[in-house]
Amino acid sequence: MSYARLCFLVCIFIALAACGTLDKEKRAAGRGEPAISGSPFVTVAGNQLLRRGSPYYFVGANFWYGAYLGSTDEGRRRLQKELDQLKSLGIDNLRVLAASEQTELSMAVSPALHLTPGQYNEALLIGLDVLLAEMAKRDMVAVLYFTNFWQWSGGMSQYMAWLTGEPPLDPDVTNDWSGFMQNSAKFYRSREAQEWYQQLIRTIVTRTNSITGVPYVDDPTIMAWQLANEPRPGSDEGGRPFYPHYKEWIQQTAQFIKSLDANHLVSSGSEGSMGTLRDLDLFRDAHDVPEIDYLTFHLWPKNWGWFDVKKAEQTYPQTAANSKAYILQHLQVAKELGKPIVLEEFGIERDGGDYRATAGTGQRDRFFRELFGFVETQVKIGSALVGTNFWSWGGLGIAQSADFVWRPGDPFTGDPPQEPQGLNSVFSRDASTLEVAREHAKFMKSR
Ligand code: IFL
């Protein structure tokens, strides 16, 4: 055989082998089996997430202030300790606030990353770099959200304040939550606000990490970009006429992110039906766009009036039943849309509604155990549920005042500034709660 002919046959052989491998990977993903090799990025295959070619199931936490810790020397020391602890427990998927807006809102965090349209706080951007670099060392992944529907980080209401030149509507002063939500939702239909928001997105997505030198778009430490924390179409009473703008915003923002970054997943940050005018069909419709890779939903028994900490024993059974029903409804939507789904927020107070870090966590442990057990059942039967992030990691943070109110300069806990410090925080010392999470992580990693 001539040398040229031999080379030709070898090339054909290699090409056929490669096709066979790809084919096998596709088939394995379709059957929910581990593929042979795979992308370092978290990717989607049908109702599943894949990481490095294997199905990816996770236990995660909300760590909204991660980039804040990365922005100071003291914070970095705390960050390293906390990431070590989380990693040792198997909690390795962190949902993080990527951008806050500077605001006069009374219960908002400061400093902020987005100072005025187009101007950013470099220290907090570096904080995000540090967070990602430290997470990469520990093989953890992050979900990063770009703004907030709520007031505690400035959020959409601050974009509206920039637009009008008026102070933002402050729901913690007026107590007019419906008015606040209707005003924040104008963000979706303001061309100028969308330009500022997209400029911010472009700045973050196209950034190169100053610590690792890795462009964000090439960094597998990022699992997903997320449009916002809990974006709603408006208030339950008044939001319906504006729903089309909301859906359009979801699709256009996701398209925009994809135009900058083909490697990472995109999700909305929605609470599910409770955040979509209490309408499951609208939740489904809003996420029935190809640019949204996976669904998200949140579960808040106390906020939704199911759980009353003062009548814990009486209200717990209904809380558990409602929670499971809510989960199942959302898994059904995910199945219908053929996408994975993440329960990326849930929480419950400490015993007796006591905010002190020394207060018991019996009721929280019970709730987490019950939810995680339910998640495991759903994972075993191959539903679309791929992971959870509890709300919220409080780590080594601690309330500084007897009134449990956060004030600028105080250490961060898992509870944002609008809520009592200690309300939903899972602290580093909460051994029994963390043991429940660790056990669940073991199961999820075995899938
Ligand atoms: O702290 C809240 C946060 O704004 C959120 N969802 C509910 C949390 C607890 O009330 O995103």
Side-chain angles (χ1 to χ4, degrees):
M1 195 183 314
S2 73
Y3 180 70
R5 193 174 159 76
L6 183 65
C7 287
F8 176 73
L9 287 174
V10 168
C11 288
I12 296 276
F13 177 78
I14 290 170
L16 285 174
C19 285
T21 304
L22 283 178
D23 203 43
K24 264 193 215 162
E25 281 192 29
K26 273 195 213 145
R27 278 186 281 120
R31 285 196 306 269
E33 290 169 14
I36 292 160
S37 63
S39 165
F41 296 95
V42 179
T43 57
V44 164
N47 280 133
Q48 277 194 319
L49 294 180
L50 297 180
R51 187 166 184 235
R52 303 193 181 112
S54 296
Y56 175 54
Y57 293 99
F58 64 86
V59 183
N62 279 276
F63 197 4
W64 64 267
Y65 53 93
Y68 279 84
L69 293 188
S71 70
T72 65
D73 288 343
E74 194 189 341
R76 285 174 200 168
R77 287 191 289 276
R78 175 177 162 190
L79 180 66
Q80 289 169 349
K81 283 190 210 147
E82 293 189 9
L83 293 183
D84 283 343
Q85 184 183 16
L86 286 164
K87 179 68 186 178
S88 72
L89 295 163
I91 302 168
D92 50 10
N93 182 301
L94 304 180
R95 182 168 174 260
V96 176
L97 174 72
S100 47
E101 294 77 19
Q102 185 158 292
T103 185
E104 292 169 31
L105 285 160
S106 57
M107 301 300 255
V109 66
S110 65
L113 181 134
H114 201 165
L115 302 171
T116 55
Q119 291 212 317
Y120 311 108
N121 176 336
E122 188 59 22
L124 280 173
L125 285 169
I126 292 174
L128 192 54
D129 294 343
V130 170
L131 172 71
L132 291 171
E134 293 295 334
M135 288 180 69
K137 283 186 202 161
R138 294 164 179 83
D139 195 26
M140 302 169 99
V141 297
V143 174
L144 303 173
Y145 45 100
F146 291 119
T147 189
N148 201 340
F149 187 68
W150 303 115
Q151 84 285 30
W152 56 264
S153 58
M156 298 179 191
S157 82
Q158 181 54 42
Y159 276 92
M160 295 320 295
W162 284 330
L163 192 73
T164 60
E166 300 290 324
L169 293 190
D170 194 334
D172 296 296
V173 172
T174 62
N175 213 19
D176 175 10
W177 286 93
S178 178
F180 168 79
M181 290 190 238
Q182 289 293 87
N183 182 59
S184 292
K186 289 184 192 156
F187 166 80
Y188 308 119
R189 50 189 197 276
S190 156
R191 197 180 44 77
E192 218 167 345
Q194 289 309 306
E195 277 169 15
W196 297 333
Y197 171 65
Q198 293 200 352
Q199 203 177 344
L200 172 276
I201 292 177
R202 184 191 298 280
T203 300
I204 295 182
V205 173
T206 62
R207 183 174 172 83
T208 293
N209 190 309
S210 60
I211 311 291
T212 61
V214 179
Y216 277 18
V217 292
D218 293 331
D219 190 350
T221 313
I222 298 165
M223 161 166 137
W225 301 114
Q226 195 162 86
L227 273 42
N229 180 48
E230 300 195 337
R232 292 186 173 191
S235 72
D236 288 350
E237 310 81 55
R240 198 160 281 259
F242 306 112
Y243 168 76
H245 299 284
Y246 175 75
K247 178 171 180 179
E248 193 182 19
W249 169 77
I250 290 183
Q251 181 154 33
Q252 285 182 355
T253 309
Q255 271 168 2
F256 177 67
I257 297 169
K258 298 264 176 197
S259 76
L260 301 172
D261 177 356
N263 288 331
H264 292 110
L265 304 180
V266 177
S267 56
S268 69
S270 168
E271 298 149 87
S273 65
M274 288 302 254
T276 322
L277 310 176
R278 300 189 176 233
D279 185 331
L280 196 63
D281 291 333
L282 284 191
F283 170 70
R284 181 191 297 103
D285 181 64
H287 293 81
D288 190 9
V289 293
E291 296 82 2
I292 291 292
D293 295 298
Y294 68 94
L295 308 187
T296 63
F297 69 122
H298 301 178
L299 176 62
W300 285 105
K302 177 195 151 195
N303 298 359
W304 300 342
W306 303 343
F307 183 68
D308 179 349
V309 75
K310 300 294 173 208
K311 296 185 198 143
E313 279 313 308
Q314 283 150 271
T315 52
Y316 185 81
Q318 197 58 49
T319 294
N322 289 358
S323 299
K324 289 176 189 171
Y326 190 74
I327 293 174
L328 288 178
Q329 284 170 359
H330 288 79
L331 301 197
Q332 179 58 28
V333 171
K335 186 174 171 193
E336 287 162 16
L337 294 183
K339 302 184 190 201
I341 185 162
V342 174
L343 174 57
E344 59 163 27
E345 274 190 24
F346 61 94
I348 206 158
E349 299 147 280
R350 305 174 92 86
D351 296 345
D354 192 334
Y355 306 134
R356 285 174 301 181
T358 47
T361 56
Q363 105 197 335
R364 179 179 292 156
D365 298 352
R366 176 188 188 188
F367 184 58
F368 277 25
R369 199 175 297 111
E370 183 144 9
L371 275 193
F372 287 151
F374 192 64
V375 169
E376 290 176 15
T377 314
Q378 294 307 312
V379 168
K380 278 185 199 149
I381 63 173
S383 82
L385 185 57
V386 292
T388 62
N389 300 75
F390 62 80
W391 184 280
S392 181
W393 175 251
L396 299 164
I398 188 86
Q400 296 297 295
S401 336
D403 60 5
F404 298 95
V405 172
W406 183 87
R407 294 183 177 79
D410 284 356
F412 296 107
T413 70
D415 298 294
Q418 89 286 16
E419 287 176 327
Q421 301 297 290
L423 177 69
N424 292 303
S425 286
V426 176
F427 294 112
S428 288
R429 56 190 285 172
D430 287 335
S432 56
T433 312
L434 294 175
E435 178 55 22
V436 174
R438 193 186 65 80
E439 278 295 321
H440 179 51
K442 221 160 61 182
F443 170 86
M444 295 298 260
K445 284 185 195 309
S446 71
R447 301 308 296 174

